[in-house]
């Protein structure tokens, strides 16, 4: 067990210090002065280095294990991108520097916007949003503002399987949350068994109040929406717009473009498709792309190029405002840019082809043994439902925990909610055949052998991790959210 | 270079296992008329070419000595911070959903939460938000959820980009946002603020030190907010809390702010992180992730994501926020940053900022053509100077000498027409400040 920082604290010489080379002159009036102790720990640098290094070793990370997390696109994070982003020449730029001294930053942003447009079939991109959900929110505000500008009252959004009442969900949880956040009312739409949309059911909910429909293509079961052309026509004939959740863009780069499918607004997660690291939960980046008629509504400032000079344009009359301070998560944008420059159009297409090949290869190895509710083909990810195989009270959570013992991070489990005991696997394109083979063998071994012969092993799992199964109920019932 | 490891032999075997002849068959479901043409993106750069390409781009950036702040600050980042956040076990990990395999990130977030609470004097911190501006917006939304009131009062001393972000976030809500003017001394006057707060005021949002560098008398402002049962949202610079009153001391309900000063680089304004800490009574209303301590099967201490029924993946459209990914790695920077000073060292860091800023302030205001805008006010590391000189010329000359001069405040309203916002952090040496003063004196 690694001590907590407050337990490490002693009366030693602490790690950091600062010298003041002018006269100390920090008297402040009593009414403004802090009177309670700071309560910060006092720890030497050597001990701090050990503490945090030891903590890091308690993580399963992409750099140590295979991370087949469905819907999260845990692909290799190229080291060269980190090296470029750690350059002080970029890191020391102040956001309010004169524009002529930050041309490099604007150039990188301008170029990435242009390249994302090409990948997505959109006309413009904004890079300001800090994450996928932030992008959804901004994208929906763009839609809201657009309808206000043409004086139409449309306050409802269709989210397939948005988990209303007892309907289980296939859409990402952020979809309905972002919609509510942006002030919309959610209209649920029950999807088919493979997560696809029924045109008849869609027609029933397409009322004049619908502003947009949010779709993930391919969907969260890894199935491409075969009726997308018809869906697009129905939605647009209704005067509504189509929103693309780009969480699964890794399946279709260079193969089909959201803009060409009829989507008007979309977001991309650079920390999924464009290889930037997840950082244990951020920072990410969630650029939004739009068709040209929505460009005036994008957050300000917009990066523009006049002759050879890059500028920031704050004067957009219809803009939704700002969704965060300054321009966006620049280091993330920079890493994504390095990724695109390494791959180019051809490379990006190859990425999607390999991602889909890897997923189908794994699926082929599973399909005769474990139930796959969405069929024998998938795009970049697929969902297993081993429920019928379970005996001895074994559940999907036990499979996941046992996988940790074998040195794998667990796949996404219990999502999408429309599948019982779901195990959602996304290998990504950066894993070798050998890695996939080994993983499939281990999963099959756990489900088909261990769960029958040694079910207690699964219930007891994990045993090889720094801690064993943790009591989440107690954690929520009697919350301890900081040290004493 | 595309980072895919399969060779031709592997691919052939894989296709055979699937039972298709080529990769195109895997995309059969996509209608032909929708299939994309070749993407027009140049690429194919090797690692070395990539490095050179970007080195070439950023070689245009001059190294500048910064006297500019206004929300993003040039502070020293200890080597330990870079070493720890540079560990791939941290930066390549996902959000810690599988707790047993994520104890490193989880314990670090728990420690981060503890440190933020210690610093702000608040009861409960979340795991971080995107940045200071969105943290302010989330605080306003939190207040609107707690009471059924709909007026949000915001000090005009709040960073203008934060005000814009709050407005964007509240665009489609029923809330009405009203801006409270500052008085002539650059800060809020209790006598102006108190009458504005009515029974329908959900929250009063005040920043200290404010955008113009002035430290607000938060204690004095607190009582009227409380008497109307409104929530007090304090936006604070966490470094300044080494000296100035903490939000917990003046009874704030929600403390938020920009965390960049705690170990993140400026990076053109992002990625940084926002922090949020609240009173115990608001714990279940807080947006975003929270880590809690618990025990494992053997009774050993461990950490998990908790109070998750507030969040989007469980509550969906009824969640406290739509936030999912936050700014975990920057919060880790803050954790490493905050754990190495000790109480005395951290106060000393804050005092050094004040001392150096005062040193510069005293010298600059005594130059011909320059005077203090708010002569008798307390500031942390930023202050406003009014000048009779040509501001554009000032910054042009400074830039020629590799100095990023003060921010021109002419866009901040009529009161600030000929005003400059200077920032002096602990990074600036006596020699650099003297050089700045010398150059200003010649203009």
């Amino acid at each position: 067990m690694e001590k907590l920082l407050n337990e490490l604290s002693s009366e030693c010489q602490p790690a950091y210090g600062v010298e003041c080379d002018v006269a100390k002159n920090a008297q402040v009036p009593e009414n403004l002065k802090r009177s309670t102790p700071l309560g910060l720990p006092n720890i030497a640098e050597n001990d701090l280095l050990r503490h945090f290094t030891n903590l890091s070793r308690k993580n399963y990370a992409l750099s140590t294990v295979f991370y087949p997390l469905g819907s999260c696109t845990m692909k290799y994070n190229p080291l060269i991108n980190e090296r470029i982003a750690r350059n002080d020449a970029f890191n020391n730029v102040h956001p309010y520097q004169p524009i002529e001294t930050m041309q490099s930053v604007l150039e990188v942003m301008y170029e990435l916007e242009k390249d994302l447009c090409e990948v997505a079939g959109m006309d413009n991109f904004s890079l300001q949003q800090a994450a996928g959900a932030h992008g959804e929110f901004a994208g929906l505000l763009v839609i809201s503002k657009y309808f206000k500008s043409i004086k139409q009252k449309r306050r409802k959004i269709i989210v397939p399987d948005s988990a209303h009442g007892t309907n289980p969900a296939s859409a990402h949880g952020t979809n309905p949350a972002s919609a509510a956040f942006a002030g919309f009312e959610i209209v649920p739409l029950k999807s088919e068994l493979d997560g696809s949309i029924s045109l008849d059911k869609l027609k029933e909910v397409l009322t004049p109040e619908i502003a947009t429909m949010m779709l993930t293509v391919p969907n969260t079961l890894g199935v491409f929406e075969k009726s997308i052309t018809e869906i697009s026509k129905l939605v647009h004939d209704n005067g509504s717009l189509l929103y693309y959740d780009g969480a699964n863009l890794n399946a279709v780069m260079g193969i089909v473009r959201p803009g060409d499918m009829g989507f008007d607004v979309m977001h991309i997660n650079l920390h999924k498709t464009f290889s930037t690291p997840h950082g244990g939960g951020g920072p990410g980046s969630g650029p939004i792309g739009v068709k040209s008629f929505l460009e005036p509504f994008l957050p300000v400032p917009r990066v523009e190029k006049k002759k050879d000079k890059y500028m920031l344009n704050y004067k957009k009359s219809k803009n939704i405002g700002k969704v965060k301070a300054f321009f966006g998560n620049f280091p993330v944008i920079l890493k994504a840019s390095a990724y695109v420059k390494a791959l180019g159009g051809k490379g990006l297409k190859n990425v999607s082809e390999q991602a889909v090949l890897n997923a189908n290869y794994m699926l082929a190895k599973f399909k005769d043994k474990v139930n796959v509710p969405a069929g024998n083909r998938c795009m970049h990810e697929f969902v297993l439902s081993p429920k019928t195989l379970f005996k001895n009270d074994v559940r999907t959570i036990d499979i996941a925990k046992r996988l940790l013992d074998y040195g794998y991070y667990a796949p996404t489990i219990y999502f999408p909610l429309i599948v019982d005991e779901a195990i959602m696997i996304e290998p990504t394109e950066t894993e070798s055949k050998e890695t996939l083979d080994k993983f499939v063998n281990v999963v099959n071994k756990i489900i088909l052998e261990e769960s029958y012969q040694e079910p207690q092993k699964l219930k007891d799992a994990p045993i090889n991790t720094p801690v064993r199964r943790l009591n989440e109920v107690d954690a929520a019932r009697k919350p301890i959210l900081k040290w004493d | 270079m595309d980072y895919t490891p399969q060779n031709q032999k592997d691919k052939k075997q894989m296709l055979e296992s699937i039972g298709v002849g080529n990769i195109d068959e895997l995309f059969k479901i996509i209608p032909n008329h929708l299939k994309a043409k070749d993407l027009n993106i140049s690429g194919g750069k090797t690692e070395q070419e990539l490095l050179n390409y970007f080195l070439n781009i950023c070689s245009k950036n001059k190294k500048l000595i910064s006297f500019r702040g206004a929300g993003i600050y040039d502070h020293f980042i200890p080597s330990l911070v870079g070493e720890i956040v540079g560990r791939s076990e941290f930066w390549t990990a996902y959000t810690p959903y599988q707790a047993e395999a994520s104890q490193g990130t989880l314990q670090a977030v728990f420690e981060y939460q503890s440190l933020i609470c210690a610093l702000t004097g608040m009861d409960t911190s979340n795991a971080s938000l995107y940045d200071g501006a969105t943290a302010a917006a989330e605080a306003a939304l939190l207040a609107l959820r707690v009471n059924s009131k709909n007026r949000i009062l915001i000090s005009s001393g709040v960073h203008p980009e934060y005000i814009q972000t709050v407005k964007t976030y509240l665009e489609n809500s029923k809330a009405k946002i009203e801006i409270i003017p500052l008085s002539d001394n650059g800060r809020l006057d209790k006598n102006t603020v108190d009458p504005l707060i009515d029974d329908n005021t959900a929250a009063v949002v005040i920043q200290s030190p404010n955008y113009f560098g002035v430290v607000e008398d938060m204690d004095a402002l607190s009582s009227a907010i409380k008497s109307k049962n409104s929530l007090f949202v304090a936006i604070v610079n966490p470094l300044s809390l080494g000296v100035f009153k903490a939000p917990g001391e003046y009874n704030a309900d929600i403390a938020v702010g920009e965390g960049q000063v705690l170990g993140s680089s400026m990076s053109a304004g992002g990625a940084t992180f926002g922090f949020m800490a609240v009173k115990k009574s608001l714990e279940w209303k807080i947006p975003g992730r929270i880590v809690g301590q618990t025990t494992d099967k053997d009774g050993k201490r461990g950490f998990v994501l908790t109070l998750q029924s507030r969040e989007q993946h469980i509550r969906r459209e009824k969640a406290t926020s739509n936030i999912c990914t936050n700014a975990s790695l920057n919060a880790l920077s803050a954790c490493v940053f905050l754990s190495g000073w000790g109480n005395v060292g951290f106060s000393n860091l804050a005092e050094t900022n004040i001392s150096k800023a005062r040193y510069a302030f005293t010298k600059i205001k005594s130059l011909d053509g320059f005077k203090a805008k708010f002569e008798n006010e307390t500031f942390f590391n930023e202050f406003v100077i009014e000048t009779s000189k040509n501001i554009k010329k000032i910054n042009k000359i400074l830039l020629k000498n590799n100095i990023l001069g003060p921010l021109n405040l002419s866009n901040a309203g009529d009161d600030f027409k000929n005003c400059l916002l200077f920032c002096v952090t602990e990074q600036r040496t006596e020699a650099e400040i003297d050089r700045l003063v010398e150059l200003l004196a010649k203009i």
Side-chain angles (χ1 to χ4, degrees):
Chain A
M1 196 167 70
E2 188 64 29
K3 281 184 173 177
L4 286 163
L5 289 167
N6 65 328
E7 296 161 349
L8 281 171
S9 186
S10 71
E11 285 177 11
C12 67
Q13 185 71 25
Y16 321 134
V18 63
E19 288 298 321
C20 189
D21 63 357
V22 301
K24 263 292 193 66
N25 179 16
Q27 285 300 316
V28 300
E30 280 306 313
N31 61 326
L32 304 179
K33 206 170 167 178
R34 183 174 187 124
S35 57
T36 53
L38 274 161
L40 295 175
N42 211 65
I43 307 169
E45 180 155 348
N46 189 12
D47 293 324
L48 272 182
L49 176 61
R50 286 186 188 140
H51 173 72
F52 286 109
T53 303
N54 288 333
L55 279 190
S56 78
R57 293 163 67 188
K58 291 171 185 276
N59 269 0
Y60 283 31
L62 197 49
S63 65
T64 62
V65 300
F66 179 37
Y67 232 86
L69 262 182
S71 213
C72 301
T73 314
M74 294 297 283
K75 66 168 73 177
Y76 174 65
N77 309 135
L79 292 171
I80 180 66
N81 300 355
E82 298 301 311
R83 183 166 167 185
I84 290 165
R86 284 174 197 178
N87 192 319
D88 278 344
F90 282 120
N91 284 332
N92 288 337
V93 173
H94 189 284
Y96 290 155
Q97 267 180 224
I99 222 70
E100 62 272 20
T101 66
M102 57 187 297
Q103 289 291 301
S104 66
V105 166
L106 302 185
E107 179 178 347
V108 169
M109 292 179 69
Y110 185 86
E111 285 283 310
L112 184 64
E113 280 188 32
K114 208 175 67 182
D115 290 341
L116 293 181
C117 284
E118 177 67 12
V119 173
M122 291 290 178
D123 298 318
N124 301 95
F125 262 89
S126 159
L127 306 178
Q128 193 172 109
Q129 304 67 226
H134 205 209
E136 286 177 14
F137 173 57
L140 294 176
L141 285 181
V142 164
I143 291 172
S144 161
K145 197 125 191 180
Y146 164 73
F147 281 117
K148 270 187 201 163
S149 80
I150 58 167
K151 304 205 163 39
Q152 285 190 20
K153 241 191 161 172
R154 291 177 182 258
R155 303 300 318 152
K156 291 185 177 178
I157 292 186
I158 299 173
V159 182
D161 293 331
S162 50
H164 254 253
T166 54
N167 285 351
S170 66
H172 296 107
T174 52
N175 286 177
S178 298
F181 219 52
F184 286 100
E185 193 184 313
I186 291 134
V187 177
L189 171 63
K190 197 169 166 18
S191 61
E192 303 303 290
L193 284 178
D194 63 355
S196 65
I197 302 297
S198 145
L199 296 175
D200 288 335
K201 285 180 193 155
L202 173 60
K203 280 179 203 160
E204 284 169 26
V205 293
L206 267 177
T207 62
E209 292 163 288
I210 299 293
T212 187
M213 171 170 177
M214 295 179 90
L215 265 186
T216 309
V217 182
N219 65 31
T220 54
L221 275 95
V223 178
F224 187 83
E225 183 54 68
K226 55 187 182 303
S227 316
I228 187 61
T229 310
E230 293 77 10
I231 292 170
S232 172
K233 186 166 187 316
L234 281 174
V235 168
H236 288 108
D237 284 351
N238 190 53
S240 315
L241 301 180
L242 205 51
Y243 184 99
Y244 183 86
D245 177 340
N248 293 345
L249 189 68
N250 207 47
V252 294
M253 285 189 294
I255 292 168
V256 58
R257 307 193 305 171
D260 298 340
M261 288 189 267
F263 288 92
D264 305 285
V265 187
M266 68 179 293
H267 77 269
I268 289 176
N269 305 68
L270 295 184
H271 47 290
K272 293 182 178 176
T273 318
F274 290 88
S275 84
T276 71
H278 283 72
S285 176
I288 56 172
V290 295
K291 293 282 173 65
S292 58
F293 70 100
L294 294 172
E295 193 272 342
F297 301 91
L298 289 174
V300 285
R302 304 277 310 132
V303 180
E304 291 174 0
K305 189 178 182 182
K306 288 206 176 118
K307 288 183 185 160
D308 283 338
K309 210 181 156 202
Y310 298 94
M311 345 254 283
L312 289 169
N313 184 353
Y314 287 87
K315 294 190 177 95
K316 290 278 180 180
S317 57
K318 296 175 181 168
N319 74 76
I320 60 164
K322 291 193 68 68
V323 291
K324 80 184 276 300
F326 315 114
F327 321 123
N329 282 344
F330 180 70
V332 184
I333 290 164
L334 179 58
K335 290 174 204 178
S337 175
Y339 182 70
V340 174
K341 298 285 174 207
L343 275 72
K346 260 192 199 161
L348 291 171
K349 184 175 184 186
N350 190 47
V351 159
S352 289
E353 288 182 344
Q354 296 304 313
V356 171
L357 177 66
N358 275 3
N360 276 286
Y361 175 66
M362 289 179 92
L363 176 58
K365 298 188 86 164
F366 277 122
K367 71 175 197 272
D368 297 330
K369 296 174 175 153
V370 185
N371 179 31
V372 187
N376 289 345
R377 285 281 183 278
C378 64
M379 297 299 280
H380 67 308
E381 66 188 0
F382 58 93
V383 180
L384 303 177
S385 179
K387 193 183 176 185
T388 51
L389 297 171
F390 286 159
K391 279 195 186 128
N392 304 317
D393 198 29
V394 166
R395 296 195 60 208
T396 281
I397 182 92
D398 306 314
I399 311 292
K401 297 301 183 196
R402 183 72 182 134
L403 274 168
L404 303 180
D405 279 339
Y406 280 97
Y408 293 108
Y409 199 82
T412 299
I413 52 173
Y414 300 106
F415 184 82
L417 308 173
I418 53 175
V419 174
D420 279 336
E421 298 290 320
I423 299 179
M424 186 189 209
I425 296 171
E426 178 179 6
T428 82
E429 73 283 1
T430 58
E431 298 299 333
S432 68
K433 177 173 172 291
E434 196 186 349
T435 300
L436 307 183
D437 284 338
K438 282 187 180 158
F439 179 76
V440 172
N441 289 342
V442 169
V443 174
N444 281 336
K445 185 179 168 201
I446 296 171
I447 296 180
L448 301 170
E449 294 172 27
E450 290 187 348
S451 77
Y452 295 98
Q453 292 155 14
E454 301 169 281
Q456 196 54 38
K457 225 177 195 169
L458 272 62
K459 286 284 164 197
D460 288 342
I463 50 171
N464 296 336
T465 45
V467 290
R468 299 189 54 203
R469 238 181 263 200
L470 291 153
N471 190 333
E472 296 193 13
V473 176
D474 267 5
R477 197 178 290 156
K478 290 170 266 169
I480 304 171
L481 309 177
K482 61 177 183 186
W483 62 56
D484 290 332
Chain B
M1 202 163 61
D2 64 10
Y3 314 107
T4 59
Q6 299 90 340
N7 61 28
Q8 288 305 325
K9 194 178 133 216
D10 289 337
K11 286 187 209 172
K12 201 166 158 264
Q13 276 183 11
M14 291 166 85
L15 288 167
E16 276 167 17
S17 303
I18 299 166
V20 292
N22 57 57
I23 284 187
D24 290 343
E25 284 186 49
L26 299 174
F27 294 95
K28 231 171 33 190
I29 189 171
I30 299 172
N32 270 330
H33 71 277
L34 289 178
K35 292 249 169 88
K37 291 194 215 101
D38 288 347
L39 297 179
N40 180 20
I41 302 174
S42 61
K45 286 187 173 31
T46 64
E47 182 171 346
Q48 200 174 345
E49 286 166 346
L50 263 188
L51 188 62
N52 288 335
Y53 174 85
F54 285 99
L55 283 178
N56 183 43
I57 289 182
C58 70
S59 67
K60 298 167 204 158
N61 297 357
K62 271 203 291 185
K63 190 167 167 26
L64 300 173
I65 297 161
S66 177
F67 287 94
R68 196 166 289 194
I72 292 291
Y73 301 91
D74 182 26
H75 289 292
F76 185 72
I77 301 173
S79 308
L80 185 62
V81 174
E83 171 62 26
I84 298 304
V85 299
R87 283 193 69 92
S88 65
E89 296 91 332
F90 281 127
W91 64 262
T92 71
Y94 192 69
T95 299
Y97 285 129
Q98 289 291 339
E100 299 84 357
S102 312
Q103 285 299 298
T105 295
L106 285 163
Q107 180 168 336
V109 173
F110 181 82
E111 293 181 325
Y112 160 84
Q113 291 171 185
S114 304
L115 291 162
I116 290 293
C117 288
L119 200 55
T120 57
M122 303 299 287
D123 299 322
T124 307
S125 161
N126 72 4
S128 79
L129 297 165
Y130 306 134
D131 73 349
T134 59
E138 289 274 13
L141 286 167
L142 196 169
L144 292 165
R145 279 198 298 278
V146 169
N147 48 44
S148 48
K149 309 171 177 190
N150 70 358
R151 263 177 100 218
I152 301 280
L153 297 181
I154 306 184
S155 160
S156 60
V158 170
H159 193 294
E161 298 211 24
Y162 291 22
I163 297 180
Q164 287 172 23
T165 304
V166 175
K167 283 184 175 167
T168 305
Y169 267 60
L170 269 53
E171 167 83 19
N172 290 329
S173 75
K174 285 177 190 140
K176 276 189 295 190
I177 298 172
E178 288 163 53
I179 307 294
I180 319 172
L182 296 180
S183 61
D184 291 344
N185 55 11
R187 59 183 167 89
L188 292 174
D189 182 344
K190 183 174 156 50
N191 296 323
T192 319
V193 180
D194 287 4
L196 292 173
I197 307 168
D198 64 11
D199 291 331
N200 194 29
T201 305
V204 182
V205 184
I206 303 175
Q207 181 177 334
S208 179
N210 66 27
Y211 181 64
F212 306 103
V214 180
V215 178
E216 299 277 359
D217 189 350
M218 300 295 255
D219 224 357
L221 295 161
S222 183
S223 56
I225 303 173
K226 297 283 145 184
S227 71
K228 296 287 182 187
N229 285 324
S230 304
L231 294 192
F232 185 3
V233 177
I235 305 175
V236 291
N237 175 339
L239 266 194
S240 74
L241 300 180
V243 167
F244 295 108
K245 260 203 168 83
E249 291 181 291
Y250 47 78
N251 207 10
D253 299 282
I254 308 171
V256 293
E258 171 57 58
Q260 181 260 329
V261 295
L262 305 176
S264 291
S265 62
M266 297 190 285
S267 302
T272 65
F273 78 94
F275 63 88
M276 176 182 280
V278 299
K279 280 190 174 166
K280 182 95 185 153
S281 56
L282 299 176
E283 197 164 272
W284 280 92
K285 305 279 184 187
I286 203 168
R289 298 194 180 104
I290 299 180
V291 171
Q293 182 183 310
T294 186
T295 49
D296 77 354
K297 252 183 157 166
D298 300 334
K300 202 164 144 188
R301 179 168 70 193
F303 302 90
V304 293
L305 291 173
T306 193
L307 311 190
Q308 291 193 76
S309 54
R310 303 163 297 111
E311 289 188 73
Q312 49 79 26
H313 60 288
I314 310 282
R315 286 278 280 185
R316 303 177 78 85
E317 75 272 21
K318 297 208 168 57
T320 54
S321 168
N322 69 336
I323 192 167
C324 179
T325 287
N326 48 37
S328 193
L329 204 64
N330 297 89
L332 176 64
S333 293
C335 183
V336 181
F337 184 88
L338 285 171
S339 53
W341 291 97
N343 292 339
V344 174
F346 194 76
S347 295
N348 184 33
L349 174 62
E351 285 166 4
T352 303
N353 273 266
I354 298 174
S355 303
K356 293 201 171 187
R358 279 241 174 112
Y359 176 80
F361 174 73
T362 311
K363 289 206 156 185
I364 295 168
K365 71 173 182 167
S366 56
L367 295 173
D368 271 353
F370 295 88
K371 66 170 190 186
K373 176 82 172 163
F374 311 117
E375 177 68 47
N376 298 315
E377 295 305 315
T378 303
F379 54 83
F380 177 51
N381 59 13
E382 287 178 285
F383 53 86
V384 179
I385 294 285
E386 199 167 1
T387 180
S388 56
K389 312 271 180 183
N390 181 321
I391 289 182
K392 281 194 179 140
K393 194 176 158 200
I394 292 174
N395 273 330
K396 210 170 152 188
I397 289 171
L398 292 177
L399 196 58
K400 240 185 211 159
N401 288 278
N402 292 329
I403 291 176
L404 178 59
L407 186 71
N408 181 352
L409 285 177
S410 59
N411 291 331
D414 290 346
D415 294 346
F416 294 96
K417 240 179 196 153
N418 300 308
C419 290
L420 296 162
L421 180 63
F422 284 85
C423 174
V424 188
T425 70
E426 81 289 346
Q427 290 255 67
R428 296 290 69 84
T429 62
E430 183 181 19
E432 287 168 349
I433 300 168
D434 289 347
R435 173 81 178 133
L436 168 77
V437 174
E438 190 188 315
L439 287 166
L440 289 175
K442 282 194 211 151
I443 293 167

